[in-house]
Amino acid sequence: MLSTDFQFFAPTALDEALALLHEHQDGGKVLSGGMSMMPAINLGVLRPTAIVSLNHVPGLDGLEDAGDHLRIGGLVRHHVVQSDPLVRAHAPLLAQAASVIADVQVRHRGTIGGSVAHADPSADYLPVLVALDATVELASASGTRDVRAREFFVDVMMTALALDEIVVGLRVPKVPAEGGSAYVRLARVEGSFAIACAAAVAVGDRVSLGVGGAVPTPVHLDVTCDGSEASLDAAAEAAFQACEDAYGDLNGSAEYRRAMARVYARRAIQQALAARG
């Protein structure tokens, strides 16, 4: 374990947190769950000069029905996303994704905003959010702005988030009542990051598909699929072609990850079509 000196702040209002982050943006980091930050600090990979905790800031952990979408605060914990009746009813694939993140301890501490901001290529939320066409709500001392999830993730652990911005929430469109959805993943052991994962939302024969794990940023595709073997194969092939920038690591080569992206894209689409109302 490597130690590092930093200033620690625990603001009790969002404006205070944003002001602190703006003041310390050159070396400041935001703490919500800390599930990625603390291991990185212990390994010496991350050396912040200041940490701004959001855990005493009210109003960031709400989850509400906002008409045609759900509004999920950035500080909502994974276990809440997994179990909340609104999410299970209107965005069940998001609940599916939350249910397989790491282990029980991490799910009770980690936050959806932290996961989105960290943007690990194999994180479970990423393909789900692009498939649902979610919007990421950002705030800084200068104001607020919205970024579509499909435009938010720009490279490996790189996002559109500015140095002094915080992910304060997400707007997640509801899956239509007549639609179906599914999230599937491949991992070596339960709780580990996905080697390949896919999320699908099907309305009629139109499918919004998000593929993650295999590529630096989640891939989004709109495909037409009537459930026939030929159309499933064509949609899976489209996912394979879209993952030409697949990367390799100790869990799998680039070729393997790309091949599995095709397999799991097909499974996600097939399950989403079967789940239609």
Side-chain angles (χ1 to χ4, degrees), residues 93-94 96-98 100-101 112 115-116 119-134 149-150 152-153 170 172-173 181-186 193-201 207-222 239 243 247 261 264-265 268:
L93 71 170
L94 190 60
Q96 282 181 279
V100 293
I101 293 174
I112 189 170
S115 179
V116 169
D120 190 293
S122 295
D124 293 285
Y125 286 135
L126 275 57
V128 172
L129 294 174
V130 301
L132 287 166
D133 198 14
R150 295 172 187 177
F152 183 75
F153 307 105
L170 297 108
V172 180
S181 64
Y183 175 69
V184 296
R185 73 197 302 265
L186 168 67
F193 277 114
I195 296 171
C197 53
V201 179
V207 180
S208 175
L209 176 68
V211 181
V215 284
T217 60
V219 169
H220 176 258
L221 295 168
D222 284 314
C243 292
Y247 66 93
Y264 280 80

Side-chain angles (χ1 to χ4, degrees), residues 59-255:
L60 296 181
D61 60 352
L63 198 162
E64 61 182 354
D65 189 326
D68 62 351
H69 67 275
L70 302 179
R71 202 278 176 177
I72 303 175
L75 212 63
V76 171
R77 313 289 169 174
H78 304 316
H79 80 96
V80 176
V81 179
Q82 172 186 350
S83 60
D84 188 272
L86 287 174
V87 181
R88 295 173 70 89
H90 299 296
L93 71 170
L94 190 60
Q96 282 181 279
S99 72
V100 293
I101 293 174
D103 53 32
V104 171
Q105 292 92 333
V106 169
R107 290 195 291 273
H108 275 72
R109 189 61 189 170
T111 65
I112 189 170
S115 179
V116 169
H118 186 60
D120 190 293
S122 295
D124 293 285
Y125 286 135
L126 275 57
V128 172
L129 294 174
V130 301
L132 287 166
D133 198 14
T135 298
V136 185
E137 299 177 352
L138 307 177
S140 71
S142 302
T144 61
R145 66 187 181 109
D146 297 335
V147 181
R148 291 177 74 189
R150 295 172 187 177
E151 300 167 356
F152 183 75
F153 307 105
V154 298
D155 207 337
V156 176
M157 296 183 184
M158 293 179 61
T159 70
L161 193 67
L163 292 175
D164 64 343
E165 285 184 316
I166 291 172
V167 176
V168 292
L170 297 108
R171 296 199 300 275
V172 180
K174 296 177 180 178
V175 175
E178 71 276 15
S181 64
Y183 175 69
V184 296
R185 73 197 302 265
L186 168 67
R188 287 192 177 277
V189 296
E190 182 179 355
S192 64
F193 277 114
I195 296 171
C197 53
V201 179
V203 180
D205 63 357
R206 298 294 300 170
V207 180
S208 175
L209 176 68
V211 181
V215 284
T217 60
V219 169
H220 176 258
L221 295 168
D222 284 314
V223 298
T224 301
C225 186
D226 61 10
S228 66
E229 292 299 311
S231 66
L232 286 167
D233 288 343
E237 179 62 22
F240 176 79
Q241 294 299 330
C243 292
E244 60 182 350
D245 293 330
Y247 66 93
D249 60 15
L250 292 176
N251 289 313
S253 66
E255 293 78 9

